[in-house]
Amino acid sequence: MQNNTNKSTTERIILGIDPGTTIMGFGLIKVVGNKMTFMQLNELQLKKYSDHYVKLRVIFERTIELIETYHPDEIAIEAPFFGKNVQSMLKLGRAQGVAMAAGLSRQIPITEYEPKKIKMAITGNGNASKEQVAKMLQQLLGLKTLPTNLDSTDGLAAAVCHFFNSGRVQIGKSSGWGAFVKQNEDRVG
């Protein structure tokens, strides 16, 4: 079990995960009061494993490693989207399940977000591209560069979406970058 006694009550760490059986993206943010700061983003490459069960074990172990390294207070995970290939959905659901099981085994609260909700929270457009989400995260968090694969920014987007949806920031009826800046002038530099 994690020890959060050294954290103040207004400080928390959110781990965002974009589960996958080819690439699992993840990102971490630290929240102090109502301000978020970037900690890390990366991806777990799973292409080299041909056995699906080995991939699931690696996802579980890497998620546990992230938890033990960064001690997140909450996990935000992208929910699988409904596609036409049932076999792919099943594999994606299993990947999400083992990542969730890792968090649950450490008693960390988990929140799932639909991909459209994550995109809407970050860009104001539920149909935004991965590139648009990544560029907005770059602006929001002051990232110098973006990774080649955007699975890691998808994981980071889940964490930021959770921050926006946890009552720390109130977003009004108007959406998009302009509305966000206007409503959060103290946070955007």
Side-chain angles (χ1 to χ4, degrees):
M1 186 174 297
Q2 65 190 36
N3 179 1
N4 288 335
T5 54
N6 61 344
K7 290 184 182 179
S8 73
T9 56
T10 61
E11 181 181 317
R12 63 193 172 120
I13 294 173
I14 303 170
L15 167 61
I17 298 174
D18 176 25
T21 55
T22 306
I23 300 172
M24 179 182 94
F26 59 90
L28 290 123
I29 58 171
K30 179 186 272 190
V31 177
V32 179
N34 67 351
K35 184 171 174 31
M36 68 175 161
T37 55
F38 170 75
M39 291 179 67
Q40 189 202 20
L41 79 158
N42 211 331
E43 58 193 32
L44 174 61
Q45 288 287 339
L46 298 161
K47 293 175 192 158
K48 60 187 170 194
Y49 305 104
S50 58
D51 185 312
H52 183 66
Y53 298 104
V54 171
K55 289 180 181 188
L56 296 176
R57 187 190 76 227
V58 171
I59 291 168
F60 183 85
E61 290 171 350
R62 181 63 174 127
T63 305
I64 291 290
E65 185 182 315
L66 288 167
I67 291 167
E68 290 175 352
T69 302
Y70 295 100
H71 307 288
D73 299 287
E74 299 166 63
I75 295 175
I77 192 162
E78 185 173 309
F81 58 90
F82 296 102
K84 293 182 180 169
N85 186 331
V86 176
Q87 208 52 27
S88 293
M89 273 183 38
L90 179 61
K91 287 180 178 179
L92 190 59
R94 287 176 177 168
Q96 181 198 36
V98 296
M100 291 171 81
L104 293 170
S105 75
R106 298 302 194 265
Q107 299 167 352
I108 301 171
I110 298 169
T111 306
E112 286 183 83
Y113 292 97
E114 297 292 327
K116 281 186 177 283
K117 181 160 184 151
I118 293 172
K119 291 174 181 181
M120 180 62 95
I122 305 303
T123 68
N125 176 1
N127 295 314
S129 68
K130 282 180 173 275
E131 292 78 14
Q132 290 171 316
V133 171
K135 286 286 188 192
M136 187 62 79
L137 288 171
Q138 188 174 26
Q139 291 177 351
L140 284 170
L141 297 168
L143 306 176
K144 289 183 179 25
T145 59
L146 290 173
T148 307
N149 291 331
L150 298 181
D151 297 275
S152 54
T153 53
D154 286 350
L156 184 62
V160 173
C161 173
H162 185 65
F163 168 69
F164 287 154
N165 282 282
S166 59
R168 305 280 186 236
V169 174
Q170 296 298 319
I171 296 180
K173 292 185 184 192
S174 37
S175 60
W177 180 242
F180 177 85
V181 170
K182 187 173 183 180
Q183 294 170 11
N184 298 284
E185 290 173 355
D186 60 321
R187 294 186 22 210
V188 180

